[in-house]
């Protein structure tokens, strides 16, 4: 986005003319400038948001790396479809459209609100070999890029990335450890509520996965195939496609951010379209966001996933755009501009 | 609020039954429990928000303690009335009602959207004597309490406190220095954009005001009278009245929080109804919030005032209440609850 710097500068000049002290809306002003740069226009207006929520199962769940059994992935997919999950409530609060995708849960859910993009009944156990075949990784990425193109064609302006999959913080921790790179101890956390023994098993699983698969961190697709996550590959594809179509990509927590890192490794510059919604307590999240040079908007101890943190940040994006779009200038409001 | 602990516990139990890992919505869960405790019910539902925006002028502005001239207070009051200011835009974004009050600007604005509760044409210069008479302080507080009662009668559930007044960070810094207590250097910041010399003048003005007036920090009304702010006294009254009527009081930045500290000194326990929306870069803000034992929800470098930070936090309050009100339980959604 070569022209994005000049767009951001023009937006900052427009904000400086608004009837408020220079810079007094802090990060909201940066947000308006960044969104405008992503959209490639000084007047982005207001944007329609969609939450892309992708679910899949993970073979590594058999290693006891989650506080919840694998069956919960499919059960939660049904909960997303019927509107009772947290993300359904939060999507309604913010007026975002919720799109639910099955990339491969062990027990599929037949429901009109769930779109079937299944690659398989879950990944293989990454501690025993690659989580998926290379062509499955390519398939997940391509599916994501296609969905991003569809959303752009529909007039969506902001895509929030959400996920669900028992065991997927282990996959994300392995991907982060491989791609940053970092030690497994630095990228593994308690996920949805692991105890000390569970955390130890998770770190060991990531260590084993890295030793067994020896992914080449300069090859994003191969690393994705090795350490998996059908939903993670799909979200990486959404992020790549969204950047191509100048959609704003709003990251949720650690897993969505790991997908974003995969996207950046495969298509460098994708991060230019990203905004980090919040900081998760998962220790690897800050590392991934630092690598992507993103500063989260919220820090509320959220560790649910589903896109919940992204949904909570959407009103900040809308507020930033509304300020740019609607607020009076010093001149228009007849207010003395001492800061000129 | 003796029963508030049991209400908060009941809400946490209800949240623990929802189809998500225990505590995984982090501070959003604390927020739901706190709002329920303030309202005195386990089922607070959704709440109608109002932003109370109070403007007044300050005699201390003559001391060169602001980057802007005093005339800007009245000009901004007109901007609030005509809908072009930042807070007008943000109120529309969040669906909050904006109520604008003139507590005493130097140049009044005749507009149906501005309610006249004028106490005078601005306070006296607090470096030369008390900012206002004791009965003016009492009048400001009583006016605020009356407005809180009106809002409660109208069915408002959340009151956000906003302010405007050239020179009012100096008044707030003096109040904070007196009531915490703290050194003027620790409570004075650059406000809307003071340079080094201006900051030095501001610190000196606060030091002089404290030495000249010698306010008794155990007497909140006398301290308010000495160090002023008609709008600050009014907002303190709103906070006191809101707590009496079980309205949630959402604090904006440093000045609104200084008003909240005045309220807590005059009516101890008022802080139980308060929520801190955001952390201002003003150095005194953290000190005041710590004294009130409040942890801000947002940290976005906002230093505009007007209630802008409070408006940006309103969607978080609404989201917390929506989760409590609408989200499915593990049992209702048929999801295995391993965390039980």
């Amino acid at each position: 986005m070569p022209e994005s710097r000049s767009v951001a500068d023009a937006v900052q000049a427009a904000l400086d003319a608004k009837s408020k002290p220079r810079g007094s809306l802090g990060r909201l002003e940066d947000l308006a400038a960044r969104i405008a740069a992503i959209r490639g226009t000084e007047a982005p207006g207001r944007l329609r948001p969609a939450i892309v929520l992708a679910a899949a199962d993970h073979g590594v769940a058999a290693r006891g790396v989650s506080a919840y059994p694998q069956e919960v992935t499919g059960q939660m997919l049904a909960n997303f479809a019927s509107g009772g999950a947290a993300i359904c409530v939060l999507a309604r609060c913010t007026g975002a459209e919720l799109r639910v995708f099955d990339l491969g849960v062990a027990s599929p859910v037949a429901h009109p609100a769930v779109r079937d993009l299944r690659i398989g009944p879950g990944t293989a156990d990454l501690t025993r070999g690659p989580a998926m075949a290379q062509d499955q990784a390519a398939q997940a990425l391509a599916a994501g890029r296609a969905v991003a193109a569809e959303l752009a064609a529909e007039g969506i302006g902001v895509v929030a990335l959400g996920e669900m999959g028992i065991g997927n913080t282990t996959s994300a921790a392995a991907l982060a450890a491989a791609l940053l790179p970092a030690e497994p101890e630095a990228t593994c956390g308690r996920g949805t509520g692991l105890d000390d023994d569970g955390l130890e098993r998770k770190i060991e699983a990531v260590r084993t996965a890295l030793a067994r698969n020896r992914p080449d961190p300069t090859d994003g697709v191969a690393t994705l195939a090795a350490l998996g996550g059908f939903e993670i590959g799909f979200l990486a594809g959404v992020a790549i496609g969204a950047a191509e179509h100048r959609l704003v990509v709003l990251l949720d927590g650690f897993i969505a951010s790991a997908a974003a890192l995969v996207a950046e490794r495969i298509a460098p510059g994708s991060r230019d379209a990203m905004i980090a919604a919040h900081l998760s307590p998962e220790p690897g999240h800050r590392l991934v966001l630092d690598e992507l040079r993103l500063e989260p908007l919220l820090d509320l101890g959220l560790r649910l996933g589903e896109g919940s943190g992204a949904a909570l940040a959407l009103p900040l994006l809308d507020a930033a755009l509304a300020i740019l779009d609607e607020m009076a200038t010093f001149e228009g409001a007849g207010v003395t501009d001492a800061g000129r």
Side-chain angles (χ1 to χ4, degrees), chain A:
Chain A
M1 301 183 188
E3 76 277 36
S4 60
R5 189 66 250 151
S6 62
V7 169
D9 289 347
V11 167
Q12 193 57 58
L15 290 170
D16 285 348
K18 303 286 189 186
S19 50
K20 58 170 187 52
R22 300 280 184 284
S24 59
L25 281 173
R27 293 194 58 201
L28 213 62
E29 300 192 25
D30 305 334
L31 200 49
R34 183 166 177 90
I35 295 170
I38 294 168
R39 300 291 284 169
T41 168
E42 297 165 30
R46 307 287 272 274
L47 299 176
R48 266 178 64 202
I51 300 167
V52 169
L53 174 50
D57 269 308
H58 294 256
V60 72
R63 299 267 77 78
V65 293
S66 174
Y68 286 79
Q70 191 177 60
E71 69 201 36
V72 168
T73 308
Q75 292 168 345
M76 283 303 299
L77 192 56
N79 199 16
F80 299 144
S82 56
I87 190 58
C88 309
V89 176
L90 297 177
R92 288 195 294 269
C93 280
T94 59
E97 295 173 43
L98 179 64
R99 311 284 178 99
V100 182
F101 300 85
D102 177 3
L103 271 296
V105 304
S107 308
V109 173
H111 192 290
V114 177
R115 182 146 155 211
D116 178 0
L117 295 176
R118 297 172 56 76
I119 295 172
T123 54
D125 179 354
L126 50 79
T127 66
R128 304 202 163 182
M132 67 183 91
Q134 288 261 0
D135 68 325
Q136 290 180 309
Q139 186 185 343
L141 290 161
R145 283 185 62 185
V147 164
E150 285 173 28
L151 294 172
E154 285 180 49
I156 295 293
V158 179
V159 182
L161 304 186
E163 45 56 47
M164 167 71 209
I166 296 299
N168 69 1
T169 56
T170 303
S171 179
L175 286 165
L179 293 174
L180 288 171
E183 291 300 316
E185 286 85 351
T187 64
C188 287
R190 293 175 188 277
T192 50
L194 275 182
D195 58 16
D196 288 349
D197 286 352
L199 178 58
E200 206 41 63
R201 284 194 298 274
K202 186 171 176 176
I203 292 169
E204 196 50 39
V206 170
R207 193 183 310 285
T208 304
L210 295 175
R212 170 73 63 120
N213 290 291
R214 298 197 171 281
D216 172 5
T218 66
D219 184 339
V221 180
T223 304
L224 171 63
L227 304 174
F230 292 143
E231 83 283 36
I232 293 175
F234 171 76
L235 292 177
V238 172
I240 293 168
E244 291 166 346
H245 290 279
R246 291 188 170 281
L247 303 183
V248 176
V249 177
L250 186 60
L251 307 184
D252 187 34
F254 178 51
I255 300 144
S257 299
L261 183 58
V262 171
E264 178 64 14
R265 287 292 182 267
I266 293 172
S270 296
R271 56 87 48 203
D272 291 346
M274 296 174 189
I275 291 169
H278 80 108
L279 181 67
S280 160
E282 283 293 292
H285 196 202
R286 174 62 84 176
L287 301 178
V288 172
L289 293 182
D290 282 351
E291 179 70 14
L292 293 168
R293 303 192 310 285
L294 299 174
E295 185 63 26
L297 290 165
L298 300 173
D299 184 2
L300 297 171
L302 307 169
R303 51 187 178 78
L304 174 60
E306 302 181 3
S308 53
L312 289 170
L314 279 172
L316 295 175
L317 276 63
D318 188 51
L321 292 172
I323 288 288
L324 182 60
D325 199 39
E326 298 182 10
M327 194 179 154
T329 59
F330 278 105
E331 195 175 344
V335 176
T336 306
D337 181 8
R340 204 187 290 264

